Amino acid sequence: GAVVSQHPSRVICKSGTSVKIECRSLDFQATTMFWYRQFPKQSLMLMATSNEGSKATYEQGVEKDKFLINHASLTLSTLTVTSAHPEDSSFYICSAASGGAAYTQYFGPGTRLTVL
Amino acid sequence: QKEVEQDPGPLSVPEGAIVSLNCTYSNSAFQYFMWYRQYSRKGPELLMYTYSSGNKEDGRFTAQVDKSSKYISLFIRDSQPSDSATYLCAMNQSGGSNYKLTFGKGTLLTVNP
């Protein structure tokens, strides 16, 4: 299957700072990227869907001014957590898709964010 | 009622056992059904997918979908300690990968040697 990477794999930051997480599709062009958040022992909750070159579509309850998503190219999407707070500590996972069948949404390895 | 319900477990079985994992759903528009395996602190990896109703087998894994009952299952035969992970069911309405997946909560499975 296709490969999706995320960077960093783990980040610790102080409350009030901003953190940027990168998601890259390494061997295919991703027309759509998804950002998920996963709390311990919980399932993946979709935060937003982004299509290359357009504004992201956020799920209900997700603050778009707090979680800034940029999908500037067909291989890169970034999620910036602005003014992070301890409650933002979570596991953030991206997935990338190129318009094939439903099961061809490939997931990154995730980023563990800890806000002190 | 949540769109997708999955018993979070945990489920603990001896090596060699047959494991049955299940999800129910409420949205009759779901057409594609996937099972993902997620190891601790890793991203999900696709195990099986099924379109509409029916069975699909791949090695030790069998996926079943019963759309009339809105019920899907994943069976693991001859379970191994390496199968210890969280198993997530996921569903998609449209059939295209550019559309969002709806996940179950995941079932934590431990296979004891």
Side-chain angles (χ1 to χ4, degrees):
Chain A
V3 180
V4 176
S5 71
Q6 277 185 245
H7 177 79
S9 58
R10 179 176 293 188
V11 58
I12 300 172
C13 69
K14 292 182 179 179
S15 186
T17 59
S18 294
V19 174
K20 180 184 282 188
I21 302 170
E22 291 187 350
C23 176
R24 292 182 186 272
S25 55
L26 298 184
D27 51 4
F28 69 102
Q29 293 187 323
T31 49
T32 305
M33 286 187 170
F34 302 86
W35 286 96
Y36 295 85
R37 181 166 53 185
Q38 188 177 35
F39 291 106
K41 298 183 181 179
Q42 299 291 319
S43 187
L44 283 76
M45 296 300 297
L46 181 66
M47 299 174 66
T49 302
S50 78
N51 293 296
E52 186 265 339
S54 11
K55 288 185 178 180
T57 301
Y58 289 81
E59 294 297 298
Q60 191 173 10
V62 177
E63 300 174 58
K64 62 181 181 180
D65 294 330
K66 180 168 184 61
F67 299 99
L68 302 179
I69 292 171
N70 185 289
H71 191 166
S73 77
L74 286 171
T75 59
L76 173 65
S77 176
T78 60
L79 167 68
T80 302
V81 183
T82 62
S83 186
H85 291 284
E87 58 265 30
D88 298 323
S89 299
S90 188
F91 194 52
Y92 291 86
I93 303 176
C94 71
S95 69
S98 59
Y103 52 85
T104 60
Q105 199 181 112
Y106 300 102
F107 287 82
T111 297
R112 171 75 58 189
L113 170 64
T114 303
V115 184
L116 302 176
Chain B
Q1 181 187 11
K2 287 188 177 180
E3 277 195 298
V4 180
E5 298 276 3
Q6 183 177 10
D7 186 343
L11 183 60
S12 181
V13 302
E15 184 174 356
I18 296 175
V19 176
S20 173
L21 304 165
N22 312 292
C23 289
T24 59
Y25 63 96
S26 57
N27 189 342
S28 57
F30 287 134
Q31 297 186 68
Y32 274 89
F33 304 90
M34 278 74 74
W35 285 95
Y36 289 84
R37 178 173 62 195
Q38 186 179 23
Y39 292 111
S40 182
R41 300 192 180 104
K42 301 291 184 184
E45 59 176 307
L46 180 69
L47 271 179
M48 301 279 290
Y49 68 90
T50 311
Y51 172 69
S52 195
S53 285
N55 293 1
K56 187 170 185 178
E57 188 174 321
D58 184 1
R60 296 185 295 112
F61 299 91
T62 300
Q64 288 185 350
V65 174
D66 182 348
K67 288 194 75 178
S68 61
S69 302
K70 297 189 179 69
Y71 186 87
I72 70 170
S73 300
L74 176 71
F75 296 97
I76 307 174
R77 290 185 300 280
D78 188 25
S79 56
Q80 302 295 308
S82 58
D83 295 328
S84 299
T86 297
Y87 290 80
L88 299 153
C89 63
M91 304 172 194
N92 176 292
Q93 289 187 40
S94 74
S97 64
N98 293 50
Y99 295 88
K100 68 177 184 180
L101 297 173
T102 301
F103 283 88
K105 212 171 189 179
T107 299
L108 177 61
L109 171 67
T110 301
V111 181
N112 301 301

